């Protein structure tokens, strides 16, 4: 039995991530991204920062793009590499912190999906991430990302939640408790996971995630001082009633 504290997207969390997010409509999200990309720019090469298990990358590679993912969780990277193995030559995944990314060649579009920008909670990390994106995308290229919008988030505060996911041999129990850190413009969720086999506890892990939320004018300003022009924002496809907004911007 292991308890990992401090590490985010650790082994137990990351290895059950896809099963846990079974209801997330990645196909709808990629279709929304593709429509925006084809309208706004010529996009071949796409970089996905905080790519997780590579679900967006797989659909983009399938659609013919050359893709690179970066993630700091080794187990997320392992799964993304396995998922993309059949696109060898035009899909790869690097393990590391997105703040250290220094691409050899610029990309036509950079993505940060599912609150990856919001995981860069303090101003220094946030501006650092935006500077990385600016270096990574070509002039007039696109930056597309989703964030938690402050207004719906504060209206309907995140709720505590419990649930179970099964596979043939195991059950994973998850309990999430949320705390709003209004002064820090973030919310924190503590996740506790218990993995059972045959009714016996075999692994336990706890993680504490902190995610920043944003207002539109704040984003506009952050993008402008980082060398981007905000082009648009819309509810993220597949989660239109939630607080997730897709935002897209052009590198000036
Ligand atoms: C909520 S998950 C989203 C994964 C994926 N983009 C998706 O939509 O399913 C956030 C991911 O961002 C990664 N991440 C957060 N901050 C990061 C950083 N500074 N550098 C690299 N990866 C980061 C985490 O490891 C995790 O895999």
């Amino acid at each position: 039995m292991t308890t990992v504290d401090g590490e985010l997207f650790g082994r137990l969390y990351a290895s059950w991530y896809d099963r846990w997010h079974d209801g997330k409509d990645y196909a709808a999200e990629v279709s929304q991204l593709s429509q925006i990309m084809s309208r706004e720019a010529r996009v071949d090469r796409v970089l996905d920062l905080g790519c997780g298990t590579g679900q967006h990358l797989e659909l983009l590679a399938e659609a013919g793009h050359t893709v690179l993912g970066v993630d700091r969780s080794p187990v997320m990277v392992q799964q993304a590499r396995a998922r993309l193995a059949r696109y060898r030559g035009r899909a790869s995944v690097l393990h590391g912190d997105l703040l250290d990314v220094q691409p050899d060649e610029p990309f036509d579009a950079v993505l940060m999906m599912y609150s990856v920008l919001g995981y860069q909670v303090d101003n220094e990390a946030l501006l650092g991430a935006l500077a990385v994106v600016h270096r990574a995308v070509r002039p007039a290229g696109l930056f597309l990302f989703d964030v938690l919008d402050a207004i719906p988030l504060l209206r309907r505060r995140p709720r505590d939640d419990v649930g179970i996911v099964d596979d043939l041999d195991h059950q994973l129990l998850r309990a999430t408790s949320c705390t709003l850190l209004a002064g820090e413009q973030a919310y924190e969720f503590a996740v506790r996971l218990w993995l059972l086999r045959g009714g016996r506890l075999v692994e336990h892990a706890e993680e504490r995630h902190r995610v920043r939320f944003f207002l539109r004018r704040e984003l506009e300003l952050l993008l402008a001082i980082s060398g981007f022009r905000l082009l648009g924002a819309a509810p993220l496809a597949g989660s239109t009633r939630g607080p997730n907004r897709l935002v897209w911007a052009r590198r000036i």
Side-chain angles (χ1 to χ4, degrees):
M1 186 167 89
T2 336
T3 301
V4 181
D5 214 358
E7 187 188 7
L8 294 188
F9 301 93
R11 193 162 59 87
L12 188 55
Y13 193 112
S15 55
W16 282 78
Y17 183 87
D18 281 344
R19 279 168 283 193
W20 203 276
H21 292 89
D22 200 20
K24 188 165 168 61
D25 195 344
Y26 285 95
E29 292 181 17
V30 169
S31 150
Q32 185 181 28
L33 292 169
S34 299
Q35 278 175 33
I36 296 165
M37 292 194 297
S38 57
R39 194 173 66 222
E40 299 289 353
R42 185 177 148 65
V43 175
D44 170 27
R45 288 164 43 79
V46 180
L47 171 66
D48 186 0
L49 297 173
C51 64
T53 62
Q55 300 227 41
H56 295 102
L57 290 174
E58 180 183 28
L59 292 162
L60 290 165
E62 189 60 40
H65 294 282
T66 299
V67 297
L68 172 67
V70 177
D71 204 286
R72 69 181 169 195
S73 155
V75 180
M76 292 298 228
V77 167
Q78 215 174 34
Q79 294 177 86
R81 284 183 179 153
R83 168 169 273 128
L84 293 164
R86 69 176 192 279
Y87 302 102
R88 197 159 296 134
R90 59 190 182 83
S92 45
V93 183
L94 298 177
H95 174 235
D97 198 299
L98 65 90
L99 293 171
D100 300 327
V101 167
Q102 292 184 337
D104 302 333
E105 259 187 84
F107 288 82
D108 303 307
V110 176
L111 310 179
M112 287 177 87
M113 296 301 293
Y114 210 3
S115 282
V116 175
L117 192 65
Y119 270 90
Q120 321 313 310
V121 179
D122 59 60
N123 291 340
E124 197 186 335
L126 188 57
L127 290 169
L130 291 169
V132 165
V133 178
H134 193 264
R135 281 199 302 275
V137 72
R138 67 167 167 82
L142 301 176
F143 174 34
L144 305 101
F145 57 101
D146 72 321
V147 289
L148 294 170
D149 183 337
I151 293 174
L153 185 97
L154 292 171
R155 254 188 216 137
R156 278 187 287 139
R157 290 171 171 230
R159 301 231 174 95
D160 294 354
D161 176 45
V162 289
I164 299 182
V165 197
D166 291 297
D167 71 7
L168 285 179
D169 305 318
H170 297 90
Q171 286 187 309
L172 183 77
L173 277 63
R174 168 169 147 156
T176 307
S177 48
C178 301
T179 312
L180 187 66
L181 306 168
E184 295 187 41
Q185 212 177 297
Y187 93 97
E188 191 172 82
F189 56 99
V191 184
R192 279 172 293 157
L193 301 168
W194 297 269
L195 185 66
L196 307 178
R197 189 170 50 216
R200 292 170 64 95
L201 181 66
V202 290
E203 196 169 342
H204 169 61
E206 296 191 19
E207 298 194 5
R208 191 173 290 275
H209 294 228
R210 197 173 274 200
V211 181
R212 179 168 174 155
F213 49 86
F214 296 89
L215 285 161
R216 184 184 161 115
R217 294 189 82 174
E218 171 196 18
L219 276 176
E220 202 168 1
L221 181 62
L222 279 168
L223 288 165
I225 60 179
S226 304
F228 295 93
R229 185 162 60 83
L230 178 69
L231 297 176
L236 182 67
S239 66
T240 47
R241 285 181 306 146
N244 301 71
R245 293 285 177 277
L246 181 69
V247 180
W248 57 102
R250 189 185 303 287
R251 186 189 142 170
I252 297 164

